[in-house]
Structures are given as structure tokens and as C-alpha cells.
Amino acid sequence: MNQPPALPDSAVPDWLQRLNPPQREAVLTTEGPVLMLAGAGTGKTAALTHRLAHLVRQRLAWPSEILCVTFTNRAAREMRHRVGQLIGDAVEGMPWLGTFHSICARMLRRHAELAGLQSNFTIIDTDDQLRVLKALVTELGLDEKRWPARQLAGLIDGWKNRGLNPADLTPVDNESYANGRGQQVYEAYQARLKALNACDFGDLMLHMLNVFRQHRDVLEQYQNRFKYIMVDEYQDTNAVQYLWLRLLAQNRKNICVVGDDDQSIYSWRGAEVANILRFEKDFPGAKVIRLEQNYRSTPQILAAASGLIASNSQRLGKTLWTELNAGEKVRVIGVWDAPEEARRVGEEIERLEREGAPLDEVAILVRAQYQTREFEDRFIQIGLNYRIVGGFRFYERAEIRDALAYLRVIAQPADDLAFERIYNQPKRGLGAKALETMYSHARRTGMPLAAAALDLADSDEFTARARSTVAALMQDFLRWRQMSETVSPAELLRTVLAESGYDAMLKADRSAESAGRADNLVELARAMEDYATLSDFLEHVSLIMDNDRADDGEKVTIMTMHAAKGLEFNYVFLPGWEEGVFPSQRALDEGGLASLEEERRLAYVGITRARRRCTVLHAANRRIYGQWTSSIPSRFIEELPPEAINQETTLTGGASLWRANWSEQEDPFAHVARDRPDRSSSRGPGWQRALSTGYETKPARVPETTRSAASFAAKARTDITLGAQVFHDKFGEGTVTGQEGNKLTIQFETAGEKRVIDSFVRLVG
């Protein structure tokens, strides 16, 4: 075979001077299996890109003979850009540099018929996948409410991540859906996709794994093609990715994987840290090269992180070191409660800003998304710019918007936008047709949407099922509105979420996101405990939502520790280091010791995001479901080496308040309720009265164009009398036989006697 063309000598970089000795060894060790064990901030991307460029420059392989796999498109783009800076246009000849799924999609297009597909197959998205699964669940006679399609989608995705076809499911897998029908539904789903000439995201890898296993000639074709295989973030590989790679590498065994067993934090996505731990067993004689010189963090930060992760047993082991100055010790700060935690962080950031530190170099990394709410509220109060990365702002999340919509309709029945959002959320069988009917009646009469719905519930404009559903919903709102006069806003929200079926909807959703959504709603209720009335809380939310969201200017970054992997900041705050919060109690309950070790790896990731200063915070008290609960510091704090940390405890504000009130009352915060104004003085008419005579509004928040309250009541038409001939778009022609307000009883020629609303008919002749 012809040798690849060499690049001009003028473009040859000085490889050896750019890299430290271990990096240089990783670049020059081109033959045989190599495990590049790269600690946080040790320049693994530089080593990986130089190795790839070295293979091309030394004419060891054509660019098209190198397989280089990454996990994200962003990582693939960065890799291509950096390699291009080293070898120029030759990088354009590297078609096999990309993500696992993009590379498998390219392969599958070439061998589609071996997977029962055509080469122009469609890759369906999540929405299409759910539609297919819902149709199958119905066809198989299953109750979709009991066995949600979203739960099934999560199970199938997990099976595909493990490399399992329907026939490979274990009895436990089979029993995990519809009492032993998991395999049946999985088989039907795969058959339906093939009939559609489609595959989902998980199929891209599973189909190619099946092709390699079942067609040896195809496997050998790719084994011969790829002289070198390189894999980034190997600790994040799942089972199907591991099996696919192992098959490809079995011939030449020139595979170099780069990863850090101490940063494997994605088991909930199917990643298996065991893949990197057993690399030497999979490839006997593999050379392990440790990248331990850190270019990011100070020695004190590295000492804290290294001391913590040493408590894990499932690790290969390495010792990070740096030539940077010692820097500050990791600060561990104990505060009284979550509000004080947010205040303390806000004050620290304002101090950094006064000292000239850019806000873009400040990050708050939380374990769970619900923790962001306290910081968002505080930063709004003090005017500190922030951004949420990897998710929505707290009050912009779908479940929070749904809950607020319920509360807005309770407080203001004329809020059409809020009512439209939740009239069928959770699903009540009120589809687009029902909404169209409600809007049609609302426009004709000038009534709000909720009032129009109640009016229609007493007519035959709706089907019998829709009438019953709407009537029940409106009765719920009446009860909730009356309840709002006597209970706290937080208790009202919890009642609404339970009685509306929203809690049950989240419990039925077995996806990875559902637990976080439930946590966010718990945090919303906790936030409401600080407000005396529902209207006060809704006004607070309105001010937050109206906050200036311009993207210009520097901002503090708030994100989860999972989302922060791969990033770095000068100043990092790690709040909520308490047992049950971090490590997460849910994770420990579900995964035991393995989950504890992953939580510890997540703590390691959080600490090593910091370049100059890292601050850990824990609170002595958290309010959970309306009750103050004492918290104990996370076990991870105790595992930090004492010589690398400075501990301090602040018992300001909350503590002094507690001491002052403890002698007179059990609840140290009972004075809050004692000092609140009487809620009954700020309330208006009940729901029934609001619908019939008017709507309670706050004048300052109602546009001038809003109709007067009295005009909301539906008025009967005066041009229709008994015996009149009328036409209805749905029921046809008929004769008016009765009239009660705006309701007409009509004997239709074909539909029989119906009770309809006069705005839906027109006179005939």
C-alpha cells in the first residue's frame, strides 16, 4: 500500500518541547493498547490531539485510517480544530473523527440492509418515539396511564445502552414493564420502527453492534480499515459502546483510551466506570500512562480533592500535583439555613466584584437543580447578574410554570393564559377541539376562558365526558379558592398538586427527569412559606420574571456539578453539602455503595473546577415540607484532609433569632406567622361569585383595556324567542323550545333535543 504523503517540513511543530514527559510518552507510544489515565486539568486534550497529529505526520496512517471517538459534538469540533492547527488541511481527510452516534450512523447508512433498513432510514426524535410507543401500548390493550409510554421509552433506552435486543432481556427486565410484557412490547416497537424505515438514537449503536456480531466480513472490513483507534472520556462509556469498541480493536489492538476513573459521574445515563477499570484485563499488556501534573488548580485545592477521592475503593489511583503557588485552603463554611447560605454567597461574590474579579469567573455548583431557587431569589434582590447553564431558570421550568398557572387561576379567574396552560395538564381528555369551543364562546360573549368553560359545562356544546370533566375541574377551583382563604400559600399548592393529579403524573413518569421535577415543586412550596398571601407570592414571581434578562455583561454562573464537568472557574462555591442533599439520599437508596462512590466522584469534580478559590457550604437547618429539619454536614466534609481546609461557622441572623424566641415558643420562626397581617382582609369574593358577577383583580396589575368586571357575566340574546328557527354548526337546524338566561333548549331535526348556548346559533330566515 502507498504511504500517506508527508506534510511540509516547515509545518512540523516542536512536539517534544510542548508536552511534559508523560504527555510525550502518550504521544510516542503508538503501538499496542494504551490507557491514558488523565486527572482533572492535566492537559489530556493536548496529549490526545498531539498523538493524533503525530500518527499523521509520521505517516503511520492515512487520516481516513484513524478512528477518533468523542462523546459530544462540541468535543469533536474542538478536537478537529486543534488537530487542524497542528497538521493543517490534512484534518479534512478524517471522516471518522466524531461522536459514537455520528460514526455509527455513517456506518449504518452503508450497511442498512443488514439491519433490516434502507439506507435512507429516518432517525426519529423523542417526540416521534413517544408517539410510536403510545400507539403500540394502545394496540396491545395496555392502560397508558398505568404503563406510560415515557416510562417504556426510558426502559428501552436503558436496554439499548446495555446492548440488549428483545431476545436478550432477563426475566427481571421483562417484568419491569406491564407485568412481564416488556419483551413483547420491545419486539413490537423494533418491528414498527423497521416498518417505518426508522431507528431511534439508541438503535444507531445497537444495530451496528448486531451487524458486527452477525457479519464477520463487515467487522473485519473495519478492523482492517482502522489502524489506530482513539477514545476520549472512556470512563463515560456504556455497555454497548464498550462492546462496539472492543470488537473493532481486537485485531490490531492499537487502541488508546483517555479517561479519568475519578470523574465517572454519569451512571444514570448508562455509563459504567468498570469499563475503564478493566481495560488492562480486556487488553493484556496495555501500557498505563498517568497524566498527573495539573495546570488548573492550586496545590491546596488539589490536596483537598485528592484526599477526598482517596476514600473510594473502585479506582486505579493517581496523585495530582502542580507547580503553581500554594494558594488558599479550601474554605468550609457552616451557616444557619438555606437563606443565610444564599446571603453569604451573595456577599462573597459582591466582595470579589469590588476587588475586580470578573463575574464570568465565578460559579455556584449545586447537586440538584432545585437548589438554584434560593440563589436566584437572593441575586434578584441585590441586583447581581447571573445565568443558569444547562437548564432553565427556576421559575421558567415547565413544572414550575404549570404550578404557577394553577395558582394564578385561583387568584385571578380571568387569567386566560394560565387557564389555557393547565386546563388539560395533566391530561384530562380535553383536547384541541374543547379549547377551540371554549375560545369561541369566550370571544362571542366577552367572557374569560374559565367562565366560558363553566358556562359550556351546562350545555350540550361539549360531549358528555367533557362536560363532566370541566364541571369537576371548575368545582376543584371553587374548593381551592375557598381554601386559599384559610390555609397558607404553601399548603394550598401542595393540595392543588395532589388533588389535580399532577403529583400522580410525575410519579407515573419513570424518566430520569421526573424526580428532579418533583424536587423542584417541593422547593417551590418551600419558597411560598415566606409569604403571607398568595397574591404577595405571585407578585414576587412577576417581579422576578420581569427581571432584565439581557445577555450582555458579566454574570455569575449557576449550574449543577454534572453540567460543570469539563469547565473551570477562578472562584467556585459548592453549597448544600449536607447528608441527604449531597450525597443525595435518593441516589444512596437506589444504588448503595456504588452510588456513594459516584457521589464522591461528583464532589471531586466540583472541587477540581476551581482554579484559585473553592468554598464549600453546609446549612444546619433546611425547611422540608414546611418543617424545619436539622441537617448534619456531608460525610464528604469529614473526608477532606484537615491540613487543606479552613473551617468556619456563622450563626448570625437565624441563630440569634432562634435563641431569642426559643424560650417562648417551640418553632423559632413562629413570629413570622404572628407578625403577618390577617389574610382575610386582603381577599375578594369566592370563585362562584367571581364567575357570576365579576372577577377579583389588583387594579395596579390590570391593563386599562380590560373589560369591567360586570361585563364578564354572559347576557342572553334578545333576538331569539320561543319557537324561533335556528341553525347550529354541530347539530344543524332546530326549533327553540325553552330559554334560561343564555342557555337554549332546542329540538333539532336530526340530533334531537339539546341544551346549547345562544352564542353558538344563528336565526334561520
Side-chain angles (χ1 to χ4, degrees), residues 331-344:
R331 294 190 304 165
V332 178
I333 301 176
V335 296
W336 175 250
D337 57 14
E340 183 177 346
E341 182 179 61
R343 287 195 298 272
R344 179 64 184 265

Side-chain angles (χ1 to χ4, degrees), residues 639-655:
E639 293 170 358
L640 295 171
E643 64 275 10
I645 65 173
N646 276 329
Q647 294 206 52
E648 57 181 282
T649 301
T650 62
L651 288 177
T652 60

Side-chain angles (χ1 to χ4, degrees), residues 565-633:
K565 186 172 176 291
L567 303 179
E568 55 188 69
F569 304 89
N570 281 344
Y571 309 96
V572 170
F573 293 89
L574 302 172
W577 279 42
E578 302 129 35
E579 287 294 304
V581 178
F582 189 47
S584 161
Q585 190 60 50
R586 180 182 292 115
L588 298 185
D589 291 343
E590 294 176 355
L593 180 60
S595 288
L596 174 61
E597 295 214 345
E598 179 158 330
E599 291 285 292
R600 189 176 286 112
R601 292 194 292 269
L602 188 58
Y604 172 86
V605 167
I607 294 173
T608 55
R609 298 312 94 193
R611 287 191 288 250
R612 296 175 56 181
R613 182 184 299 170
C614 180
T615 304
V616 173
L617 299 103
H618 62 94
N621 301 277
R622 292 275 176 187
R623 187 180 285 183
I624 302 175
Y625 293 109
Q627 301 296 321
W628 282 99
T629 304
S630 296
S631 301
I632 61 175

Side-chain angles (χ1 to χ4, degrees), residues 292-314:
E292 298 175 311
Q293 183 177 358
N294 180 280
Y295 295 94
R296 174 191 300 160
S297 306
T298 64
Q300 298 284 18
I301 292 173
L302 293 182
S306 297
L308 172 67
I309 201 62
S311 296
N312 270 8
S313 60
Q314 295 297 311

